Amino acid sequence: MLAITLLPLTLLLVSTVFALPTTPRYLKRATPAWCAGLGAGQFDTAHNFTLAALNTTLPNTNATGAPLVVGQAGAVDGAEYKVLSTYASYPYNDFPTMSLLNGSLIPVSDLGAQISDSQVSAGNAPSFIVTDSNLPAPAQIYCAVADTDPTQGTPYPTLAVNGDTDSFALCMDGSQNNVVWKPTADNYGAYDYNSCYAVRVQLLGLN
Ligand SMILES: *[C@@H]1O[C@H](CO)[C@@H](O)[C@H](O)[C@H]1NC(C)=O
Ligand SMILES: *[C@@H]1O[C@H](CO)[C@@H](O)[C@H](O)[C@H]1NC(C)=O
Ligand SMILES: *[C@@H]1O[C@H](CO)[C@@H](O)[C@H](O)[C@H]1NC(C)=O
Ligand SMILES: *[C@@H]1O[C@H](CO)[C@@H](O)[C@H](O)[C@H]1NC(C)=O
């Protein structure tokens, strides 16, 4: 009689044990919000890489694409704004490498400039602020995605912002060719919409 009453409990314990995930929870970090939906190749922390833009509609001259640097985007008293520009259109490189720190994209300055990334909304350029005083907390909105296809994948990880790898473009703003996320004609003259072409932003130097 005792054995019969214990049986359901034993079954319950056994099924509970086998329902546990195969990887213990403490070994598996949950996907952070800024990488949600980006698949198995996603990662949100990396050091010492550079960025490049690859045409997604037109043939490219090589697999790496046009090198990107941190370009100027105006200044106010005590702060400078920055965007991502092609080196070809902005031939200065004050931030020779980038870091991805827990979802924040942080250019690394040669000269110790304090820089933080900002939130990015549709139609706008991914941007940064440089300031010595009251540097804002960095926005955690970036993720990188390594192609996990061993046969025909892309060789370089792809940058995502707001969970999206597919909506970057290069657009002319004056003489600068800048990265814009989800470009729109309705941009208050921030860039020439007709000049925009779609690109994939790649992380170079990690492979
Ligand atoms: C980045 O690269 C430089 C030079 O190769 C090295 O000294 C430095 O430790 C690296 N930084 C990180 C965070 O890996
Ligand atoms: C790859 O092509 C781009 C132009 O699309 C050029 O700016 C860049 O320098 C080239 N990179 C290499 C490594 O040749
Ligand atoms: C992409 O194509 C445009 C239009 O042909 C060209 O001007 C530009 O240099 C190309 N950019 C890259 C990164 O290959
Ligand atoms: C990453 O950011 C999350 C959310 O802001 C925070 O909880 C976590 O401690 C951070 N991790 C590291 C390694 O900085």
Side-chain angles (χ1 to χ4, degrees):
M1 190 62 194
L2 184 62
I4 290 167
T5 41
L6 281 178
L7 189 59
L9 179 63
T10 311
L11 285 176
L12 182 70
L13 285 172
V14 167
S15 58
T16 306
V17 166
F18 282 95
L20 284 173
T22 45
T23 306
R25 197 178 283 273
Y26 58 86
L27 289 181
K28 201 173 182 178
R29 189 178 163 217
T31 303
W34 41 90
C35 288
L38 293 172
Q42 56 89 10
F43 58 99
D44 77 343
T45 296
H47 297 280
N48 271 351
F49 59 88
T50 62
L51 296 175
L54 195 69
N55 269 334
T56 51
T57 47
L58 294 155
N60 292 276
T61 47
N62 57 53
T64 50
L68 298 174
V69 293
V70 175
Q72 68 81 29
V76 294
D77 195 20
E80 289 175 26
Y81 298 98
K82 305 287 184 185
V83 291
L84 297 171
S85 308
T86 62
Y87 179 73
S89 72
Y90 189 82
Y92 308 97
N93 198 358
D94 298 332
F95 298 85
T97 65
M98 296 261 171
S99 289
L100 184 61
L101 302 173
N102 204 16
S104 301
L105 182 64
I106 305 296
V108 179
S109 166
D110 260 355
L111 306 170
Q114 300 297 302
I115 185 165
S116 195
D117 66 345
S118 308
Q119 296 291 338
V120 180
S121 55
N124 291 298
S127 65
F128 307 86
I129 183 169
V130 175
T131 181
D132 288 336
S133 59
N134 300 320
L135 189 71
Q140 292 175 292
I141 51 173
Y142 292 94
C143 187
V145 191
D147 199 317
T148 51
D149 183 336
T151 53
Q152 49 186 339
T154 59
Y156 305 105
T158 300
L159 188 71
V161 69
N162 299 324
D164 177 16
T165 55
D166 296 334
S167 308
F168 289 115
L170 277 172
C171 303
M172 294 306 297
D173 171 12
S175 62
Q176 252 170 267
N177 205 8
N178 296 338
V179 175
V180 174
W181 185 57
K182 296 189 172 180
T184 168
D186 191 12
N187 64 46
Y188 304 96
Y191 49 87
D192 173 9
Y193 179 66
N194 293 323
S195 73
C196 298
Y197 58 87
V199 295
R200 187 167 71 228
V201 178
Q202 308 193 119
L203 288 75
L204 310 183
L206 297 177
N207 305 62

